């Protein structure tokens, strides 16, 4: 839920499951939201902030339009730069984030953290090993 935090005197996102009680303001007043305020965008951004304990910054070498087709709203912040699209998000696990980034299908540069670069290198090694394993063809897959 998005609203005015009277203690901080700013608009912010509140987790409804953490609201213990409500009491009417002694002198309620309606205030206009700031110009250009987008409650849905603020909520999506706030949800992206709590998705994991590690901050992630990756430059995607693609267009904003192509990145937005693959990355759902709220999963990350995407900003067009001269070099590509800066993706900022959070991750709980580096191996999971490495798989996610690999699935985007575009070249990328990990700016932060180094552990994510290491996870991508490990994933790359496992994929290369799997591709080179030369398993035998067992024929077409049959339906059940």
């Amino acid at each position: 839920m998005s609203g005015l935090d009277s203690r901080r005197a700013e608009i912010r996102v509140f987790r409804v499951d953490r609201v213990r009680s409500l009491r009417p303001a002694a002198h309620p007043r309606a205030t206009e939201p700031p110009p250009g305020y987008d409650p849905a965008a603020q909520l999506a951004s706030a949800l992206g902030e709590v998705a994991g304990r590690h901050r992630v910054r990756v430059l995607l070498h693609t267009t904003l339009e192509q990145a937005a087709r693959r990355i759902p709203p709220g999963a990350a912040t995407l900003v067009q730069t001269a070099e590509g699209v800066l993706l900022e998000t959070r991750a709980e696990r580096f191996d999971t984030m490495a798989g996610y980034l690999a699935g985007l299908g575009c070249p990328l540069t990990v700016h932060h953290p180094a552990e994510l670069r290491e996870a991508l290198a490990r994933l790359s090694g496992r994929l290369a090993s799997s591709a080179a394993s030369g398993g035998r063809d067992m024929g077409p897959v049959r339906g059940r």
Side-chain angles (χ1 to χ4, degrees):
M1 174 175 70
S2 178
L4 179 65
D5 180 344
S6 58
R7 290 183 184 169
R8 294 186 187 176
E10 65 185 14
I11 294 177
R12 57 182 287 242
V13 174
F14 299 90
R15 284 186 47 173
V16 177
D17 63 326
R18 291 188 176 173
V19 174
R20 293 190 200 121
S21 66
L22 295 172
R23 63 171 197 247
H27 303 285
R29 64 188 191 289
T31 58
E32 287 294 317
Y37 175 67
D38 183 349
Q42 184 184 22
L43 181 59
S45 174
L47 291 174
E49 286 291 312
V50 297
R53 61 186 153 163
H54 305 287
R55 289 188 181 273
V56 171
R57 288 184 60 146
V58 177
L59 183 66
L60 305 176
H61 302 284
T62 188
T63 65
L64 185 58
E65 180 184 325
Q66 291 170 335
R69 273 190 260 154
R70 295 214 173 232
I71 301 166
T77 301
L78 301 174
V79 178
Q80 184 71 60
T81 70
E83 296 82 26
V85 177
L86 183 63
L87 175 148
E88 293 184 310
T89 190
R90 296 183 77 82
E92 189 62 30
R93 296 175 47 130
F94 296 123
D95 58 343
T96 303
M97 180 56 70
Y100 180 78
L101 292 172
L104 293 178
C106 65
L108 55 93
T109 303
V110 175
H111 287 298
H112 180 81
E115 294 90 345
L116 180 54
R117 285 191 290 277
E118 295 162 7
L120 278 167
R122 286 190 301 275
L123 176 60
S124 173
R126 286 193 308 273
L127 292 173
S129 176
S130 295
S133 68
R136 63 183 173 89
D137 188 351
M138 298 176 70
V141 177
R142 295 187 186 155
R144 292 186 178 202

